């Protein structure tokens, strides 16, 4: 069953959307903590998001960018704003589609089904996966999996993990990592260390400890200390 996260501050509209979504066999989840939309997204890991623009505190454009920084899941913006500039801003901030209120719920469902087919069904492109010893990285989804557990990773974490997985158990030099992540931009050692720490944290969330080794004077090495049956 697909999980669809609904971020809408009008209780009546949110309830109606949830009822229609459930009527068609999907799991509609209403999020009403508008201060923690990204946190709730990370917790729920939905397959799709319906996102209003006029929200308390931060608007939908802001949350669209935040979600897009960690996920490529479909986002449909639903808004009373009908101006071309609003629709343009939604798309520029990462939305996949835009619907103007008031809308017909059957059309909303048609757009939901269309986005789900494109992302996960018949129309979806074959998904790329980078794997090593049972640890699976889905770069397009920005997800890391091991033995049925998964964590979401950021764009930079995805690039860094892909580089380490592809070369494991060989050492990846600092220069290679810097080139992959920041091209010609100057980056100090502290910035690189912060990103390495984040990778170790993501691995720990899957139960993998002591896998990312710092090779003094050379770079970093990902040692496959985990197994397909369970992390050590």
């Amino acid at each position: 069953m697909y999980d669809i996260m609904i971020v809408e501050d009008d209780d009546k509209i949110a309830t109606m959307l949830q009822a229609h979504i459930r009527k068609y066999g999907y799991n509609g989840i209403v999020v009403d903590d508008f201060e923690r939309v990204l946190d709730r997204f990370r917790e729920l890991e939905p397959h799709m998001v319906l996102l209003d623009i006029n929200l308390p505190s931060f608007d939908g454009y802001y949350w669209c960018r935040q979600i897009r920084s960690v996920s490529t899941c479909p986002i449909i913006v639903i808004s009373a704003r009908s101006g071309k500039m609003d629709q343009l801003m939604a798309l520029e901030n990462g939305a996949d589609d835009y619907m103007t209120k008031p809308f017909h719920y059957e059309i909303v469902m048609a757009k939901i089904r269309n986005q789900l087919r494109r992302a996960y069904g018949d129309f979806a492109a074959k998904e790329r996966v980078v794997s090593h010893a049972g640890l699976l990285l889905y770069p397009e989804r920005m997800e890391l999996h091991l033995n049925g557990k998964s964590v979401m990773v950021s764009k930079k974490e995805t690039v860094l993990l892909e580089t380490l997985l592809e070369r494991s158990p060989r050492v990846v030099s600092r220069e290679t990592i810097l080139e992959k992540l920041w091209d010609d931009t100057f980056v100090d050692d502290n910035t690189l260390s912060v990103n390495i720490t984040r990778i170790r944290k993501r691995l720990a969330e899957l139960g993998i400890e002591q896998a990312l080794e710092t090779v003094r004077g050379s770079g970093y090495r990902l040692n496959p200390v985990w197994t397909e049956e369970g992390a050590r």
Side-chain angles (χ1 to χ4, degrees), residues 15-111:
T15 302
M16 290 291 288
L17 281 170
Q18 185 180 44
H20 272 75
I21 286 169
R22 290 182 173 175
K23 175 182 173 184
Y24 283 87
Y26 307 126
N27 184 31
I29 307 168
V30 176
V31 169
D32 56 8
D33 186 348
F34 302 110
E35 300 287 339
R36 298 180 57 249
V37 172
L38 183 60
D39 292 337
R40 294 292 289 137
F41 177 85
R42 288 180 179 275
E43 292 163 5
L44 296 169
E45 298 184 3
H47 297 91
M48 172 181 281
V49 177
L50 297 181
L51 180 63
D52 192 12
I53 292 177
N54 295 325
L55 297 171
S57 300
F58 299 101
D59 62 23
Y61 301 132
Y62 170 83
W63 290 119
C64 193
R65 292 195 303 274
Q66 295 300 304
I67 292 171
R68 201 47 91 218
S69 71
V70 299
S71 174
T72 58
C73 90
I75 301 174
I76 297 178
V77 167
I78 48 175
S79 176
R81 300 185 187 183
S82 59
K84 292 181 180 177
M85 187 56 67
D86 293 303
Q87 298 183 40
L88 177 63
M89 285 182 64
L91 298 175
E92 289 290 334
N93 280 281
D96 297 285
D97 205 344
Y98 191 102
M99 289 205 68
T100 304
K101 300 174 185 174
F103 41 65
H104 293 287
Y105 286 94
E106 297 305 324
I107 295 179
V108 176
M109 292 310 305
K111 285 181 174 287

Side-chain angles (χ1 to χ4, degrees), residues 114-178:
N114 185 52
Q115 290 295 333
L116 290 174
R117 280 198 301 268
R118 288 183 178 281
Y120 311 108
D122 298 338
F123 303 154
K126 188 175 180 181
E127 187 170 23
R128 193 163 61 91
V129 57
V130 181
S131 65
H132 186 53
L135 184 62
L136 308 175
L137 174 68
Y138 294 89
E140 284 78 20
R141 278 191 262 168
M142 293 189 284
E143 293 178 1
L144 188 65
H145 292 237
L146 179 67
N147 300 320
K149 293 179 62 178
S150 66
V151 294
M152 303 193 71
V153 292
S154 69
K155 287 182 180 179
K156 286 197 182 314
E157 291 165 2
T158 298
V159 174
L160 183 48
L161 277 165
E162 183 173 355
T163 304
L164 291 165
L165 281 167
E166 288 179 338
R167 303 192 181 203
S168 176
R170 290 172 290 168
V171 174
V172 183
S173 68
R174 287 184 69 265
E175 290 74 19
T176 297
I177 293 173
L178 293 171

